[in-house]
Amino acid sequence: MLELADVHTYYGNIQALRGVSLSVAPGEIVTLIGGNGAGKTTTLRTILGTARPRRGTVSFNGRRLDALATDRIVRLGIAQSPEGRRIFPRMTVLENLELGAFARPDRAAIAPDLERVFTLFPRLAERTAQSGGTLSGGEQQMPSLLLLDEPSMGLSPILVETIFRIVQDINRQGTTILLVEQNARMALRVAHRGYVIQTGRIVLQDEAAALLRSDLVRKTYLGEK
Protein backbone atom coordinates (compact mmCIF):
# COMPACT_ATOMS: atom_id res chain seq x y z
CA MET A 1 0.00 0.00 0.00
CA LEU A 2 2.75 2.45 1.00
CA GLU A 3 6.36 2.36 -0.12
CA LEU A 4 9.31 4.64 0.46
CA ALA A 5 12.35 3.82 -1.68
CA ASP A 6 15.78 5.34 -0.94
CA VAL A 7 14.30 8.60 0.35
CA HIS A 8 16.64 11.50 1.13
CA THR A 9 14.96 14.53 2.71
CA TYR A 10 16.62 17.81 3.70
CA TYR A 11 15.75 20.91 5.69
CA GLY A 12 17.83 23.44 3.83
CA ASN A 13 21.36 22.01 3.88
CA ILE A 14 20.64 19.68 6.80
CA GLN A 15 19.93 16.11 5.75
CA ALA A 16 17.18 14.53 7.88
CA LEU A 17 16.57 11.26 6.00
CA ARG A 18 19.43 9.28 4.49
CA GLY A 19 18.14 6.65 2.09
CA VAL A 20 15.05 5.56 4.03
CA SER A 21 13.21 2.59 2.53
CA LEU A 22 10.15 1.06 4.14
CA SER A 23 6.84 -0.48 3.16
CA VAL A 24 3.40 -0.99 4.68
CA ALA A 25 1.10 -3.71 3.32
CA PRO A 26 -2.70 -3.47 3.42
CA GLY A 27 -4.07 -4.39 6.84
CA GLU A 28 -0.79 -4.04 8.71
CA ILE A 29 0.26 -2.04 11.71
CA VAL A 30 3.86 -1.06 11.02
CA THR A 31 5.78 0.92 13.61
CA LEU A 32 8.76 3.21 13.16
CA ILE A 33 10.73 3.61 16.37
CA GLY A 34 13.70 5.77 17.22
CA GLY A 35 14.96 8.50 19.49
CA ASN A 36 14.41 12.26 19.31
CA GLY A 37 15.74 13.69 16.05
CA ALA A 38 16.08 10.29 14.42
CA GLY A 39 13.82 11.20 11.49
CA LYS A 40 10.49 9.70 12.47
CA THR A 41 8.32 12.78 12.03
CA THR A 42 10.25 13.80 8.91
CA THR A 43 9.31 10.43 7.43
CA LEU A 44 5.62 11.20 7.96
CA ARG A 45 6.04 14.71 6.59
CA THR A 46 7.70 13.29 3.50
CA ILE A 47 4.79 10.89 2.97
CA LEU A 48 2.27 13.75 3.23
CA GLY A 49 4.27 16.13 1.08
CA THR A 50 4.91 18.77 3.73
CA ALA A 51 8.59 17.89 3.31
CA ARG A 52 9.90 16.99 -0.15
CA PRO A 53 12.48 14.29 -0.79
CA ARG A 54 15.50 15.45 -2.75
CA ARG A 55 16.03 11.87 -3.90
CA GLY A 56 13.98 8.69 -3.79
CA THR A 57 10.28 7.94 -4.25
CA VAL A 58 7.14 7.71 -2.15
CA SER A 59 4.26 5.61 -3.54
CA PHE A 60 0.74 4.88 -2.33
CA ASN A 61 -1.13 2.03 -4.03
CA GLY A 62 1.33 2.27 -6.90
CA ARG A 63 0.94 6.04 -7.38
CA ARG A 64 3.84 8.41 -6.87
CA LEU A 65 3.21 10.91 -4.09
CA ASP A 66 6.48 12.84 -4.01
CA ALA A 67 5.42 15.29 -6.72
CA LEU A 68 1.85 15.83 -5.45
CA ALA A 69 0.57 18.66 -3.28
CA THR A 70 -0.45 17.71 0.25
CA ASP A 71 -4.16 18.35 -0.35
CA ARG A 72 -4.12 15.91 -3.28
CA ILE A 73 -2.33 13.32 -1.14
CA VAL A 74 -4.99 13.64 1.56
CA ARG A 75 -7.73 13.18 -1.03
CA LEU A 76 -6.14 9.87 -2.02
CA GLY A 77 -6.98 8.55 1.44
CA ILE A 78 -3.91 9.30 3.58
CA ALA A 79 -4.46 11.20 6.83
CA GLN A 80 -2.36 11.94 9.89
CA SER A 81 -2.87 12.40 13.60
CA PRO A 82 0.09 14.70 14.30
CA GLU A 83 2.33 14.82 17.33
CA GLY A 84 0.95 16.88 20.19
CA ARG A 85 -2.36 18.70 20.49
CA ARG A 86 -3.10 19.87 16.96
CA ILE A 87 -6.77 20.77 17.18
CA PHE A 88 -8.75 23.97 16.57
CA PRO A 89 -9.37 25.11 20.17
CA ARG A 90 -12.24 27.52 19.45
CA MET A 91 -14.21 24.97 17.47
CA THR A 92 -16.36 22.36 19.17
CA VAL A 93 -15.33 18.73 19.43
CA LEU A 94 -17.91 17.83 16.77
CA GLU A 95 -16.65 20.58 14.43
CA ASN A 96 -13.08 19.34 14.82
CA LEU A 97 -14.19 15.83 13.90
CA GLU A 98 -16.30 17.00 10.96
CA LEU A 99 -13.38 19.01 9.64
CA GLY A 100 -11.46 15.76 9.29
CA ALA A 101 -13.97 14.73 6.62
CA PHE A 102 -13.76 17.93 4.55
CA ALA A 103 -12.24 16.17 1.53
CA ARG A 104 -14.56 13.18 1.46
CA PRO A 105 -16.96 12.85 -1.47
CA ASP A 106 -19.12 10.22 0.29
CA ARG A 107 -21.01 12.65 2.49
CA ALA A 108 -23.66 10.11 3.47
CA ALA A 109 -21.02 7.87 5.06
CA ILE A 110 -19.69 10.55 7.40
CA ALA A 111 -22.42 10.17 10.04
CA PRO A 112 -21.87 6.40 10.46
CA ASP A 113 -18.14 7.02 10.73
CA LEU A 114 -18.73 9.61 13.44
CA GLU A 115 -20.70 7.00 15.35
CA ARG A 116 -17.74 4.66 14.96
CA VAL A 117 -15.45 7.32 16.43
CA PHE A 118 -17.83 7.85 19.36
CA THR A 119 -17.90 4.10 19.97
CA LEU A 120 -14.10 4.05 20.10
CA PHE A 121 -13.91 7.26 22.14
CA PRO A 122 -17.10 7.49 24.23
CA ARG A 123 -15.82 10.51 26.19
CA LEU A 124 -15.83 12.52 22.95
CA ALA A 125 -19.50 11.67 22.43
CA GLU A 126 -20.23 13.32 25.78
CA ARG A 127 -18.41 16.50 24.69
CA THR A 128 -19.57 17.15 21.12
CA ALA A 129 -20.68 20.73 21.91
CA GLN A 130 -17.67 21.48 24.11
CA SER A 131 -14.89 23.75 22.84
CA GLY A 132 -11.93 21.66 21.71
CA GLY A 133 -9.50 23.83 23.64
CA THR A 134 -11.13 22.88 26.96
CA LEU A 135 -10.39 19.16 26.62
CA SER A 136 -7.70 17.63 28.77
CA GLY A 137 -4.36 16.85 27.16
CA GLY A 138 -5.17 13.18 26.77
CA GLU A 139 -8.60 13.82 25.29
CA GLN A 140 -7.17 16.23 22.71
CA GLN A 141 -4.51 13.80 21.59
CA MET A 142 -6.58 10.66 21.00
CA PRO A 143 -5.94 9.64 17.40
CA SER A 144 -8.20 7.98 14.86
CA LEU A 145 -6.28 8.50 11.59
CA LEU A 146 -3.97 6.57 9.34
CA LEU A 147 -0.53 7.97 10.19
CA LEU A 148 -0.02 8.23 13.94
CA ASP A 149 2.79 10.45 15.25
CA GLU A 150 3.65 9.76 18.91
CA PRO A 151 0.08 9.04 20.09
CA SER A 152 1.26 8.16 23.61
CA MET A 153 3.18 11.40 24.18
CA GLY A 154 2.23 13.09 27.45
CA LEU A 155 -0.51 10.62 28.35
CA SER A 156 -1.03 8.87 31.66
CA PRO A 157 -0.22 5.13 31.76
CA ILE A 158 -3.93 4.26 31.76
CA LEU A 159 -4.58 6.39 28.68
CA VAL A 160 -1.52 4.92 26.94
CA GLU A 161 -2.98 1.43 27.36
CA THR A 162 -6.31 2.71 26.02
CA ILE A 163 -4.72 4.38 23.00
CA PHE A 164 -2.82 1.29 21.92
CA ARG A 165 -5.88 -0.91 22.39
CA ILE A 166 -7.85 1.44 20.17
CA VAL A 167 -5.06 1.45 17.58
CA GLN A 168 -5.53 -2.31 17.38
CA ASP A 169 -9.32 -1.92 17.19
CA ILE A 170 -9.02 0.56 14.30
CA ASN A 171 -6.70 -1.83 12.52
CA ARG A 172 -9.04 -4.79 13.01
CA GLN A 173 -11.80 -2.72 11.42
CA GLY A 174 -9.76 -2.47 8.23
CA THR A 175 -7.48 0.55 8.59
CA THR A 176 -3.80 0.22 7.76
CA ILE A 177 -1.57 2.07 10.22
CA LEU A 178 1.94 3.49 10.20
CA LEU A 179 2.75 4.21 13.84
CA VAL A 180 5.61 6.51 14.81
CA GLU A 181 6.36 6.05 18.49
CA GLN A 182 9.06 6.47 21.13
CA ASN A 183 7.37 3.97 23.45
CA ALA A 184 9.03 1.08 21.66
CA ARG A 185 7.74 -1.64 23.96
CA MET A 186 4.08 -0.74 23.50
CA ALA A 187 4.45 -0.02 19.80
CA LEU A 188 6.06 -3.38 19.10
CA ARG A 189 3.42 -5.19 21.14
CA VAL A 190 0.64 -3.95 18.84
CA ALA A 191 2.52 -3.84 15.51
CA HIS A 192 2.97 -6.62 13.00
CA ARG A 193 6.35 -5.34 11.79
CA GLY A 194 8.74 -2.59 12.74
CA TYR A 195 11.62 -0.42 11.60
CA VAL A 196 14.30 1.21 13.74
CA ILE A 197 15.57 4.59 12.54
CA GLN A 198 18.73 6.29 13.79
CA THR A 199 20.10 9.60 12.47
CA GLY A 200 17.94 9.38 9.37
CA ARG A 201 18.78 5.78 8.45
CA ILE A 202 16.87 2.54 8.87
CA VAL A 203 19.25 0.38 10.88
CA LEU A 204 16.99 -2.59 11.62
CA GLN A 205 13.73 -4.07 10.38
CA ASP A 206 11.91 -7.27 11.28
CA GLU A 207 8.73 -8.78 12.62
CA ALA A 208 7.67 -6.93 15.78
CA ALA A 209 8.18 -9.97 18.02
CA ALA A 210 11.71 -10.40 16.70
CA LEU A 211 12.54 -6.73 17.30
CA LEU A 212 11.43 -7.08 20.91
CA ARG A 213 14.12 -9.74 21.27
CA SER A 214 16.79 -7.73 19.44
CA ASP A 215 19.81 -6.70 21.52
CA LEU A 216 19.84 -3.26 19.86
CA VAL A 217 16.19 -2.59 20.66
CA ARG A 218 16.38 -4.03 24.18
CA LYS A 219 19.46 -1.99 25.14
CA THR A 220 18.71 1.25 23.29
CA TYR A 221 14.92 1.57 23.46
CA LEU A 222 13.69 -0.75 26.23
CA GLY A 223 16.26 0.16 28.87
CA GLU A 224 17.39 -3.42 29.34
CA LYS A 225 20.97 -4.57 29.86
Side-chain angles (χ1 to χ4, degrees), residues 8 15-20 38 196-204:
H8 297 251
Q15 187 168 7
L17 299 184
R18 303 171 181 270
V20 167
V196 179
I197 188 169
Q198 292 181 347
T199 59
R201 302 179 190 274
I202 301 295
V203 298
L204 192 62

Side-chain angles (χ1 to χ4, degrees), residues 167-181:
V167 166
Q168 289 179 296
D169 289 343
I170 292 171
N171 177 249
R172 280 192 287 265
Q173 293 175 21
T175 300
T176 302
I177 295 171
L178 176 59
L179 169 65
V180 161
E181 183 56 64

